């Protein structure tokens, strides 16, 4: 099992930015960020792959969020810009050792502990 450690959550005003990081302890191929707001289902936010580095985003974050990876550090990031109150949620990173369908939680094998993002208006 791969251990994932997240960091970077916090509280910001609407229009602000945050960057989340996720470090993996082992081999990964599919990397993703999900979020879950109270009383809502877990939602896929962004997914990328080791090679090729294709990326996929939820429609609600396209143009504002960017997922990237640093293979040397076995780390991936979620840069979140122009944050909105509706982005408020617990954010989770997730990984899988092989290819899995983007933005779908069921395929991802390992999960981080979650980091809270709160955006105030």
């Amino acid at each position: 099992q791969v251990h994932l450690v997240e960091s970077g959550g916090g509280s910001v005003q609407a229009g602000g930015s945050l960057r989340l990081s996720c470090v993996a302890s082992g081999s990964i191929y599919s990397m993703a960020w999900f979020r879950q707001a109270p009383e809502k289902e877990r939602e896929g936010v962004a997914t990328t792959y080791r090679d090729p580095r294709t990326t996929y985003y939820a429609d609600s974050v396209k143009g504002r969020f960017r997922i990237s990876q640093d293979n040397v550090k076995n780390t991936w990031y979620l840069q979140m810009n122009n944050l909105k109150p509706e982005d408020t949620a617990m954010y989770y990173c997730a990984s899988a050792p092989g290819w899995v369908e983007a933005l779908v939680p069921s395929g991802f094998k390992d999960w981080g502990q979650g980091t809270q993002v709160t955006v105030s208006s």
Side-chain angles (χ1 to χ4, degrees):
Q1 184 173 359
V2 174
H3 184 54
L4 305 181
V5 178
E6 305 169 6
S7 60
S11 298
V12 295
Q13 297 268 355
S17 298
L18 285 172
R19 189 176 82 153
L20 307 182
S21 301
C22 185
V23 180
S25 64
S27 178
I28 52 177
Y29 181 81
S30 301
M31 295 158 270
W33 291 95
F34 293 84
R35 66 185 181 187
Q36 189 165 18
E39 301 181 357
K40 291 191 175 181
E41 291 189 358
R42 190 163 295 191
E43 173 191 21
V45 176
T47 299
T48 190
Y49 300 97
R50 181 74 77 190
D51 181 32
R53 297 190 180 193
T54 50
T55 56
Y56 300 86
Y57 296 93
D59 288 343
S60 58
V61 306
K62 282 180 182 176
R64 300 188 298 122
F65 290 12
R66 187 172 74 91
I67 188 170
S68 62
Q69 57 181 288
D70 183 331
N71 291 349
V72 174
K73 297 180 180 179
N74 219 27
T75 300
W76 63 104
Y77 307 93
L78 185 68
Q79 178 65 43
M80 305 184 291
N81 298 324
N82 191 22
L83 282 159
K84 303 176 180 181
E86 51 264 43
D87 294 318
T88 295
M90 186 71 78
Y91 283 70
Y92 299 89
C93 63
S95 71
W99 185 93
V100 296
E101 186 177 357
L103 306 180
V104 177
S106 59
F108 287 85
K109 180 176 178 294
D110 297 296
W111 291 79
Q113 78 283 1
T115 186
Q116 179 68 37
V117 171
T118 303
V119 185
S120 57
S121 57

